């Protein structure tokens, strides 16, 4: 199997893998099992599968649709989707490299252009996934109510049901949800990555920063920027933000709203991975209870 054959017959990839007709080298990739596949013509591709048993229904279809949607904007490098089957997703291989300020500046400006390319509504056509969890993308018109209903409440409930958060934690988050109208920053839907923590920016050997592993949808552009600051922050985050602001300035009060946008991803982590991430939820909710909003 070479790249020409793969493009013509993507449905044959699982058969070639089953019969060990392709060289396979394991690589890291979050909740999925991933490999670098080397084809007969020497080309490499990136492939991922569910670790055991069938993949969750629609997981790879949703990711493929998100990658194609982000790539169509032509604003930020996004890997080409080569194969999107129920049990496997294969993308063009992007050779890892080092982060640089030049790449960060280009990424910041490109991210602003990506966001500005817009979306028809808050949400997406297909249900999605974020990590191992389903993501309700039912479209909505008001960001505040949509974010509360689709991005906060479901993961708060799961976190409490699994014992990752207690009643006090739940009450703090519910207070945030009830006062969403105070936070301001209303804007039309942006075309966002949707799970843009620093690990989902791939700094490549070609001197660019690529977007990977999206939970793409129409959302608030501040969400992507806020989550870039999580878990130690993306390399050269100050440069990314400065370039973003030069391309498309953010609305007043965006810094005060950072914990609000981060709260979604903290709740996803407590829902999926347990109480080890409780402190993030608590810190975000506490900041929001005492902050100033515009």
């Amino acid at each position: 199997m070479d790249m020409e054959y793969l493009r013509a017959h993507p449905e044959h990839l699982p058969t070639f893998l089953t019969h060990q007709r392709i060289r396979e080298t394991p690589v890291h990739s979050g909740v999925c099992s991933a490999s670098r596949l080397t084809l007969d013509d020497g080309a490499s591709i990136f492939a991922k599968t569910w670790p055991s048993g069938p993949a969750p229904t629609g997981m790879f279809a949703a990711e493929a649709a998100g990658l194609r949607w982000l790539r169509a904007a032509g604003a930020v490098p996004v890997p080409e989707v080569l194969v999107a089957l129920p049990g496997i997703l294969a993308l063009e291989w992007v050779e890892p490299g080092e982060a640089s300020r030049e790449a960060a500046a280009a990424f910041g400006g490109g991210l602003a252009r990506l966001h500005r390319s817009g979306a028809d509504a808050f949400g997406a056509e297909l249900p999605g996934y974020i990590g191992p969890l389903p993501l309700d993308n039912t479209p909505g018109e008001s960001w505040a109510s949509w974010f509360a209903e689709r991005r906060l409440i479901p993961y708060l409930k799961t976190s409490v049901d699994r014992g990752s958060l207690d009643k006090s934690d739940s009450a703090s988050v519910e207070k945030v949800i009830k006062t969403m109208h105070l936070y301001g920053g209303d804007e039309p839907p942006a075309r966002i990555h949707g799970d843009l923590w620093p690990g989902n920016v791939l700094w490549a050997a070609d001197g660019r920063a690529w977007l990977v592993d999206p939970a793409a949808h129409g959302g608030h552009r501040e969400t992507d920027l806020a989550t870039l600051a999580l878990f130690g922050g993306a390399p050269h985050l100050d440069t990314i933000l400065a370039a973003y602001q030069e391309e498309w300035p953010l609305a007043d009060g965006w810094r005060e709203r950072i914990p609000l946008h981060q709260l979604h991803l903290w709740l996803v982590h407590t829902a999926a991975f347990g109480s080890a991430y409780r402190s993030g939820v608590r810190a975000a909710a506490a900041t929001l209870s005492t902050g100033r909003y515009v």
Side-chain angles (χ1 to χ4, degrees):
M1 175 177 277
D2 57 20
M3 188 64 78
E4 182 179 358
Y5 185 92
L6 179 66
R7 290 183 187 280
H9 305 283
E11 71 279 4
H12 291 177
L13 181 59
T15 300
F16 275 77
L17 286 172
T18 299
H19 294 285
Q20 299 181 339
R21 297 285 301 277
I22 300 175
R23 191 172 76 195
E24 188 173 2
T25 306
V27 295
H28 176 72
S29 179
V31 299
C32 288
S33 298
S35 300
R36 178 177 185 168
L37 306 182
T38 304
L39 306 183
D40 290 338
D41 59 1
S44 291
I45 64 174
F46 173 87
K48 63 182 182 180
T49 58
W50 195 243
S52 60
T57 302
M59 171 178 274
F60 293 137
E63 182 171 346
L67 287 163
R68 289 171 174 140
W69 187 57
L70 296 176
R71 184 180 169 90
V76 179
V78 178
E80 178 189 358
V81 176
L82 300 171
V83 178
L85 299 172
I88 188 169
L89 179 69
L91 315 173
E92 72 171 294
W93 178 261
V94 179
E95 189 66 28
E98 299 294 328
S100 68
R101 288 202 175 274
E102 292 78 9
F107 176 65
L111 188 62
R113 292 189 292 275
L114 173 68
H115 290 165
R116 206 168 204 168
S117 65
D120 292 335
F122 296 108
E125 292 183 2
L126 295 176
Y129 285 85
I130 187 160
L133 301 178
L135 191 67
D136 185 350
N137 285 328
T138 303
E141 296 182 0
S142 164
W143 177 78
S145 60
W146 180 87
F147 190 73
E149 293 170 10
R150 310 298 179 198
R151 294 298 184 263
L152 299 182
I153 293 173
Y155 304 102
L156 173 61
K157 182 180 186 303
T158 300
S159 297
V160 172
D161 290 346
R162 294 182 177 179
S164 302
L165 298 177
D166 60 25
K167 290 183 179 180
S168 176
D169 300 325
S170 181
S172 297
V173 175
E174 288 169 0
K175 180 179 178 181
V176 172
I177 291 168
K178 290 175 182 177
T179 55
M180 286 288 296
H181 62 285
L182 298 177
Y183 301 124
D186 290 335
E187 292 189 354
R191 186 174 307 212
I192 73 170
H193 178 283
D195 187 16
L196 198 55
W197 68 285
N200 284 342
V201 180
L202 174 55
W203 302 89
D206 66 3
R208 299 186 293 171
W210 293 61
L211 292 178
V212 296
D213 291 342
H217 62 275
H220 200 302
R221 61 188 178 125
E222 291 176 9
T223 299
D224 274 354
L225 297 174
T227 51
L228 274 176
L230 287 172
F231 310 122
H236 309 301
L237 182 58
D238 56 339
T239 300
I240 294 171
L241 292 173
Y244 189 103
Q245 289 272 47
E246 185 173 348
E247 181 72 29
W248 189 15
L250 292 159
D252 290 344
W254 71 272
R255 291 188 183 276
E256 288 78 12
R257 290 188 290 272
I258 287 174
L260 174 64
H261 292 277
Q262 291 178 339
L263 185 56
H264 162 58
L265 212 53
W266 284 123
L267 288 170
V268 167
H269 277 71
T270 53
F273 308 117
S275 60
Y277 295 95
R278 179 185 295 164
S279 61
V281 173
R282 289 177 170 174
T287 301
L288 292 166
S289 70
T290 58
R292 177 182 64 82
Y293 307 100
V294 178

